[in-house]
Amino acid sequence: MMGFEAWTIFALFWIVFVTTPGPNAVNCIQNGIYLGFGRAMIGVLAILTQATLFLILSAFGITALIAASPAGFFAAKMIGAGFLIYLGVRGWMQARTPVTISAKPAKSIYFQALAIATINPKSVAGYLAAFSQFVQADVPIWEQMIVIVPTALTLTALSYTGFCALGAGLGRAALDAVFSVWLRRILASCFVIYGLLLGLSNAPGRN
């Protein structure tokens, strides 16, 4: 079983990992604005799906193989960068459209959030850091996973639920408000910035 000290260190790392604003957070805020809190939570479900998958893959060491493949990393980051920039440009162009609660299909909400969570190599870097620095080598990995998985998923759910709630609150305030256009353009710009940074980034562990 994972020791209490190791668990504490892992939990603190994970809190920083999931609360630092990134593409997932911006997407949750936007979903909260456009979809309302309840439907925005579909995106959180997608993030939890990705987190579960990456936790399992990390335990098997597969994310290390992905990070070690220059061609695979380059392809992933180019796809991810293009997708994030596309979302940003689309959001900027739609910023003057009046804010309404969208009837966007649940499948569309889920798969967009899953794509954003999965194609960002920042996720690979985060999971590699967690499993290379905070997992105890002298304890069987699956014994530690009994503690790691519920801890990571609980903290992830709490963090992105908070971002959805923030977006829902901003959405209510932004209805017919002057600052609505600028708020939405700032969020759209975040996607473009994340996309550009992603396109210029190195593979985890590389200089």
Side-chain angles (χ1 to χ4, degrees), residues 40-168:
M41 290 299 292
I42 297 171
V44 177
L45 177 61
I47 294 171
L48 291 175
T49 301
Q50 179 264 347
T52 301
L53 176 62
F54 270 44
L55 285 167
I56 294 172
L57 292 179
S58 295
F60 281 111
I62 295 177
T63 52
L65 295 177
I66 294 173
S69 170
F73 178 82
F74 180 79
K77 79 171 185 177
M78 287 297 103
I79 293 171
F83 184 60
L84 293 175
I85 292 172
Y86 161 75
L87 291 176
V89 172
R90 186 184 66 176
W92 182 279
M93 294 176 65
Q94 294 177 345
R96 291 190 175 277
T97 304
V99 177
T100 57
I101 299 301
S102 172
K104 190 175 181 180
K107 180 191 290 188
S108 177
I109 300 169
Y110 178 87
F111 282 109
Q112 176 172 306
L114 184 63
I116 291 172
T118 302
I119 61 182
N120 184 1
K122 171 181 175 275
S123 293
V124 177
Y127 285 87
L128 279 174
F131 278 76
S132 63
Q133 298 181 43
F134 306 117
V135 172
Q136 296 169 286
D138 57 342
V139 179
I141 184 61
W142 296 110
E143 290 185 14
Q144 297 180 72
M145 291 294 284
I146 294 173
V147 178
I148 287 173
V149 171
T151 298
L153 294 184
T154 298
L155 294 173
T156 300
L158 290 173
S159 174
Y160 292 113
T161 296
F163 283 120
C164 288
L166 173 62

